[in-house]
Amino acid sequence: MASSNFVDYVKIFCRSGSGGGGSRHFRREKFVEFGGPDGGDGGEGGSVILKGNSQYWTLIHLKYKRHIFAENGEHGHGARCHGKNGKDSIIEVPLGTVARDAETGEIVGEVTEDKQEVVILKGGRGGLGNWHFRTATNQAPRYAQEGEECKEGLYILELKVLADVGLVGFPNAGKSTLLSVVSAAKPKIANYAFTTLEPNLGIVSYRDHRSFVMADIPGIIEDAHEGRGLGTRFLRHIERNSILLFMIPADSKDIYTEYEVLLNELKQYNPELLDKERLLAITKCDMLDEELAEEIKNSKLPDIPYVMISSVTGAGIDRLKDMVWDALHR
């Protein structure tokens, strides 16, 4: 399989900069044989910082750059001159990136806004020069403070796609086809399962020049939470969506049962997903005649707002947009 340009998981090794040591210097000028201490402070070590960039949508730029080092601070100088601060190492990441400690799994920061900065490793403080340690009884201290040591660690960066609407359904339910119809996105479309192997985003135009963002998530199958199919690798992208749009084809054996299976997979992965607004789109309705369509409407359906659509003929698409827009602003 060809490698994808979509990378939503990387592990990187980071090291902040050490602080510079303070200076043990004494003032020496012409005709001043025994000047007092004038050692300057060491510079601050550089930090490792995540910075949000709305122009990025994947972590591929970090795929082959796994070691991130910040600069050390310079040592202090005479004449109470402060050492130069070490340069921060800034890692630009797409919005929705979560940083975790690889050993403990603890979240150390999340980036959700453009130009937002999150410090994941603080640089070491610079040491004080001997000028700070002069006293009435010790007017010539010959010691200074060392700078703080650097910090280092392994961190996992995970991308959770930010979107208003997330499409949830079994493989080959028509999710990619819908996204290609309502937006300018060009996801891969074919008549077999697991055509979509990575999330796709599209901006859906609505009335009066308004819009919302829709995310096509790779298909879920039963027992995905146990690793079947593509497993839970892409389920985390649903966590950041405001609305979950369940998509079930009209030719399914039992729409209600399929919905319950999908809902159970989300519950097994993260029970908090059940708190999100849910909508249902019954797809591929161009295959139905009026009698079959009426039969589906009279059958047992999930107790959530639903619409019958066809991405091929465009039937029900405008009503679907209205339903999504109302739910977003409810």
Side-chain angles (χ1 to χ4, degrees), residues 159-219:
L159 174 61
K160 296 181 180 180
V161 167
L162 293 172
D164 298 310
V165 186
L167 305 182
V168 181
F170 287 108
N172 212 22
K175 301 185 296 297
S176 299
T177 305
L178 174 64
L179 186 66
S180 68
V181 168
V182 298
S183 74
K186 302 295 181 187
K188 183 179 179 182
I189 300 171
N191 190 27
Y192 57 83
F194 295 113
T195 309
T196 302
L197 296 175
E198 61 191 42
N200 292 293
L201 289 179
I203 298 176
V204 181
S205 297
Y206 191 60
R207 297 187 178 97
D208 302 325
H209 306 288
R210 294 174 292 184
S211 63
F212 55 87
V213 179
M214 183 177 284
D216 172 22
I217 310 297

Side-chain angles (χ1 to χ4, degrees), residues 72-284:
N72 295 329
E74 285 188 356
H75 296 306
H77 307 284
R80 291 170 58 187
C81 289
H82 196 289
K84 182 181 177 183
N85 291 337
K87 188 177 179 181
D88 294 331
S89 183
I90 296 179
I91 310 170
E92 293 196 325
V93 294
L95 308 188
T97 300
V98 178
R100 297 178 183 272
D101 188 301
E103 293 185 3
T104 65
E106 180 184 357
I107 295 178
V108 297
E110 297 184 50
V111 178
T112 57
E113 298 177 7
D114 191 32
K115 295 184 173 57
Q116 176 190 353
E117 293 189 353
V118 174
V119 178
I120 59 174
L121 273 182
K122 179 71 176 170
R125 291 179 296 182
L128 300 176
N130 63 347
W131 183 79
H132 290 276
F133 299 103
R134 71 200 190 289
T135 65
T137 56
N138 184 10
Q139 298 183 3
R142 298 183 179 276
Y143 52 85
Q145 193 177 45
E146 295 292 328
E148 272 187 347
E149 290 292 323
C150 63
K151 298 175 183 178
E152 59 183 36
L154 272 172
Y155 292 90
I156 293 170
L157 301 185
E158 290 180 334
L159 174 61
K160 296 181 180 180
V161 167
L162 293 172
D164 298 310
V165 186
L167 305 182
V168 181
F170 287 108
N172 212 22
K175 301 185 296 297
S176 299
T177 305
L178 174 64
L179 186 66
S180 68
V181 168
V182 298
S183 74
K186 302 295 181 187
K188 183 179 179 182
I189 300 171
N191 190 27
Y192 57 83
F194 295 113
T195 309
T196 302
L197 296 175
E198 61 191 42
N200 292 293
L201 289 179
I203 298 176
V204 181
S205 297
Y206 191 60
R207 297 187 178 97
D208 302 325
H209 306 288
R210 294 174 292 184
S211 63
F212 55 87
V213 179
M214 183 177 284
D216 172 22
I217 310 297
I220 302 171
I221 65 171
E222 191 170 2
D223 295 331
H225 68 278
E226 295 179 355
R228 288 193 63 199
L230 295 177
T232 60
R233 179 183 171 191
F234 294 111
L235 283 177
R236 66 172 173 270
H237 294 295
I238 302 175
E239 294 179 35
R240 292 285 176 82
N241 300 334
S242 302
I243 293 175
L244 302 181
L245 177 58
F246 287 79
M247 299 188 64
I248 301 176
D251 59 352
S252 298
K253 291 182 179 179
D254 190 330
I255 293 175
Y256 182 83
T257 301
E258 287 200 9
Y259 169 78
E260 287 295 316
V261 171
L262 291 169
L263 199 61
N264 182 59
E265 291 305 315
L266 298 187
K267 181 181 178 181
Q268 295 292 336
Y269 173 71
N270 183 355
E272 292 181 4
L273 291 175
L274 302 188
D275 296 333
K276 294 183 180 292
E277 183 90 18
R278 284 171 266 160
L279 305 174
L280 172 64
I282 301 174
T283 64
K284 305 182 181 180

